[in-house]
Amino acid sequence: MEFVEIAHPSELPVGRARAYDVNGRTIALYHTAQGFFATDNTCPHRGGPLAEGDLIGNEINCPWHLWGFDVATGLCPGNPEIRVTAHEVRVVDDRVLVRLAS
């Protein structure tokens, strides 16, 4: 799949997350001190909307039951067998681009 433009860097301040529709799939875009990252927006526990959770460093905490995920890898630090799909992100010029994982 090709990279798709979803945002401009100025739309999402550091420390924030926002949900975007990308080709019919809802993903969460995160802006941390290390850059931009993207995962599926749905927590694998009970389906909570990750973009509405608290972004602390590089970890997003689900707003429903506080499950945490590393935004770069999608791994749950408390249980490496649990993960959310992470997507590749690039910032080119004034555009944030995402390529969805399969």
Side-chain angles (χ1 to χ4, degrees):
M1 175 168 275
E2 299 291 320
F3 279 91
V4 176
E5 179 180 344
I6 64 167
H8 296 283
S10 61
E11 293 175 20
L12 193 60
V14 173
R16 302 297 301 269
R18 183 177 296 164
Y20 291 88
D21 179 75
V22 180
N23 296 331
R25 188 169 174 178
T26 304
I27 64 145
L29 181 68
Y30 313 99
H31 190 181
T32 74
Q34 285 73 46
F36 287 90
F37 301 93
T39 69
D40 281 351
N41 189 46
T42 305
C43 179
H45 175 228
R46 294 280 174 103
L50 293 177
E52 295 178 19
D54 291 324
L55 181 61
I56 302 167
N58 273 15
E59 186 174 313
I60 187 69
N61 290 304
C62 179
W64 289 3
H65 301 105
L66 304 179
W67 282 35
F69 300 91
D70 183 300
V71 297
T73 65
L75 290 174
C76 177
N79 185 344
E81 294 180 13
I82 299 172
R83 68 173 35 229
V84 64
T85 301
H87 306 287
E88 189 176 352
V89 179
R90 291 184 182 167
V91 178
V92 178
D93 299 323
D94 192 36
R95 304 176 306 147
V96 179
L97 309 171
V98 174
R99 179 166 56 192
L100 297 179
S102 306

